[in-house]
Amino acid sequence: GESVGLHLPTLSVQEGDNSIINCAYSNSASDYFIWYKQESGKGPQFIIDIRSNMDKRQGQRVTVLLNKTVKHLSLQIAATQPGDSAVYFCAENRGTDSWGKFQFGAGTQVVVTP
Amino acid sequence: NAGVTQTPKFRVLKTGQSMTLLCAQDMNHEYMYWYRQDPGMGLRLIHYSVGEGTTAKGEVPDGYNVSRLKKQNFLLGLESAAPSQTSVYFCASSYLSSQTQYFGPGTRLLVL
């Protein structure tokens, strides 16, 4: 996942622009990935998921890309809106023996400016 | 549907005190989880349950106990709170057939 530390990396995006949030995962055996959005003072909210047999998956205004070669995951948000301001983090699941158990990244703070 | 609810929202404890955090879900989910979230770190799994009457240890179980007497409730207990347990605690639940977890709003715990 993202680097561990007290301060999260921050992505500042102008309203209407596209956002790209990156995540480096740790285990080459991981076969299922989820992106979560967490607004201040709230619990994480599921955005989109992808399995390791896919390279790309699209949702409403969001796209997740998976590059297994370099163990990299990205979340693209199209036409970023003020309501997209939040912490975004990825989670990886390490296979059938780890059903329901994920390794979570620390997250990236996205700030949308007018 | 209320989804996943947690009580209390905020609590201050003194070192050595005990407390129980309650998680309730109304989605008939089989799986339930307790996590802690610390500044600059990802969620870490404390304990989880795959069904009523069953619990298992997660990544950071020391100092915590859990019980799942009813399918809809998952309780997290701190027997003797320590300052290192100051954190935000999240409960989550999911269906047996899905790994999508639904999270509660969190409980902020401060141990002095």
Side-chain angles (χ1 to χ4, degrees), chain B residues 52-63:
Chain B
E52 182 179 328
T54 69
T55 63
K57 294 180 180 179
E59 182 185 352
V60 288
D62 293 342

Side-chain angles (χ1 to χ4, degrees), chain B residues 1-47:
Chain B
N1 283 355
V4 180
T5 57
Q6 293 182 234
T7 53
K9 288 185 171 55
F10 177 69
R11 184 77 183 267
V12 179
L13 287 180
K14 293 181 180 178
T15 297
Q17 286 184 318
S18 63
M19 79 163 293
T20 301
L21 283 69
L22 172 64
C23 175
Q25 53 94 4
D26 61 2
M27 297 174 281
N28 203 33
H29 287 167
E30 292 85 4
Y31 282 51
M32 296 187 75
Y33 313 81
W34 274 108
Y35 294 93
R36 61 178 289 172
Q37 187 176 48
D38 299 298
M41 297 181 71
L43 291 165
R44 291 184 292 169
L45 183 64
I46 304 171
H47 285 280

Side-chain angles (χ1 to χ4, degrees), chain A residues 51-67:
Chain A
R51 298 205 172 275
S52 58
N53 60 354
M54 303 172 71
D55 297 324
K56 180 180 178 178
R57 189 157 191 233
Q58 289 184 290
Q60 188 176 13
R61 275 202 311 121
V62 294
T63 301
V64 56
L65 299 178
L66 176 62
N67 185 330

